[in-house]
Amino acid sequence: MSSSHTEQRPGAAAKTFLQSRYPLFVQFMKFALVGVSNTLITLLVYTFLLKVVGMWYLAASAIGFIAGATNGFLLNRRWTFREHVGDALTPVRWAVVQSCGLAVNEGMLYLLVHDAHLEKILAQVAATVIVTITTFLANRAWTFRVHTTVAVAGGSPGGSDT
């Protein structure tokens, strides 16, 4: 027997159902998966610079953040926010969001290490959780927003105002 061309791969129906019923949830899960890869890159770079190179923890964190954020931009643009049609300002908006995320990350890291006396790597992990949520919301609402078509008031359904 030959297989039909109309057969779906296992799980395809569930994926389609989830995407149509819970698009924000699916999008956040994609963002979270990208975030896992970003976090791994960030923490690997941070730990290497901190423990092997002996770099100051805030400088190591900034470099790690930039490496992870760059990975995130590339993956989120191609996968998480795929339906977004980019324009020349998309990278600028991304840079603004990530710069704010970096500022929040550095501020939280300093407070957690200096004032709360948390171990530096644990403090970085804690800061990452907050920054991930806030940058997702900002990127979704601003950087990778999907523009909807707006109907012109007073126009007739046929497109003519005569």
Side-chain angles (χ1 to χ4, degrees):
M1 290 188 138
S2 65
S3 66
S4 170
H5 290 288
T6 59
E7 289 181 27
Q8 292 184 350
R9 288 183 281 160
K15 179 181 174 185
T16 303
F17 173 77
L18 280 174
Q19 185 67 42
S20 65
R21 292 285 302 228
Y22 306 102
L24 181 60
F25 174 76
V26 170
Q27 191 174 54
F28 181 76
M29 292 309 297
K30 286 180 177 181
F31 187 84
L33 287 172
V34 170
V36 168
S37 71
N38 298 349
T39 300
L40 290 174
I41 290 169
T42 299
L43 291 176
L44 286 171
V45 171
Y46 175 68
T47 301
F48 174 79
L49 294 174
L50 185 70
K51 302 290 185 180
V52 177
V53 176
M55 187 178 284
W56 182 46
Y57 75 100
L58 291 177
S61 175
I63 293 168
F65 186 94
I66 291 167
T70 301
N71 173 69
F73 176 75
L74 297 173
L75 291 178
N76 280 318
R77 188 167 191 175
R78 285 183 169 78
W79 186 48
T80 309
F81 301 107
R82 167 179 36 202
E83 66 280 355
H84 171 260
V85 177
D87 57 23
L89 293 178
T90 298
V92 174
R93 288 189 296 268
W94 171 82
V96 169
V97 170
Q98 294 311 121
S99 295
C100 292
L102 177 58
V104 170
N105 183 79
E106 293 289 293
M108 287 185 63
L109 183 59
Y110 177 81
L111 291 173
L112 291 171
V113 170
H114 185 263
D115 294 344
H117 306 290
L118 281 180
E119 195 277 325
K120 292 173 183 156
I121 294 175
L122 180 60
Q124 180 62 64
V125 170
T128 298
V129 171
I130 301 301
V131 172
T132 297
I133 293 167
T134 57
T135 58
F136 166 73
L137 295 172
N139 278 316
R140 184 175 195 281
W142 189 48
T143 307
F144 298 111
R145 70 185 180 272
V146 176
H147 300 281
T148 57
T149 306
V150 178
V152 177
S156 66
S160 171
D161 288 338
T162 57

